[in-house]
Amino acid sequence: MTRNEHTDGDREEEPSLDELREEIEDIDREIVELIARRTYVADSVAQVKADRGLPTTDEGQEERVMERAGRNADHFDVDSNLVKAVFRLLIELNKVEQRESR
């Protein structure tokens, strides 16, 4: 049901600006939590690579991540260029951390 539809003749109450901002604040916290989780796992990947003498950069894997990001963006009807830009930044940050930890 859309915000403008009526239920039993009563108009659904739209969320207030404060409520919407609070929801964005919650989402932002979740995004940061997910970035932290991703960074932790990427650090574990870096350790496995170091233990096995593998290079820091895996262009094939990076390409798969970007393709997956684009598909997910399309699935959720979000601008794929924006999503890919975010993922490029995450990948670059992880690569810098991997290089610095070696």
Side-chain angles (χ1 to χ4, degrees):
M1 185 177 302
T2 67
R3 278 191 265 201
N4 294 328
E5 290 181 3
H6 300 277
T7 305
D8 297 329
D10 294 330
R11 182 180 169 144
E12 286 187 35
E13 199 169 310
E14 293 185 18
S16 71
L17 184 58
D18 287 341
E19 289 171 327
L20 292 169
R21 286 179 174 160
E22 194 172 299
E23 186 172 355
I24 286 175
E25 192 175 315
D26 290 344
I27 293 167
D28 289 348
R29 181 193 51 76
E30 291 174 22
I31 290 170
V32 172
E33 181 181 352
L34 290 170
I35 290 170
R37 282 179 52 201
R38 190 181 196 288
T39 300
Y40 174 80
V41 174
D43 289 345
S44 298
V45 167
Q47 185 59 51
V48 170
K49 286 179 177 181
D51 292 348
R52 295 181 182 176
L54 298 171
T56 301
T57 301
D58 181 343
E59 291 179 15
Q61 178 61 18
E62 289 176 25
E63 189 174 313
R64 287 187 293 277
V65 169
M66 297 305 290
E67 288 172 3
R68 188 171 55 239
R71 284 193 311 273
N72 285 330
D74 291 342
H75 176 77
F76 289 103
D77 197 27
V78 179
D79 183 296
S80 66
N81 289 324
L82 173 64
V83 170
K84 287 179 180 182
V86 169
F87 274 84
R88 270 188 221 98
L89 180 59
L90 290 170
I91 289 168
E92 287 307 312
L93 290 171
N94 290 144
K95 287 183 349 186
V96 167
E97 285 185 21
Q98 286 179 25
R99 281 188 221 111
E100 288 176 355
S101 67
R102 284 196 170 194

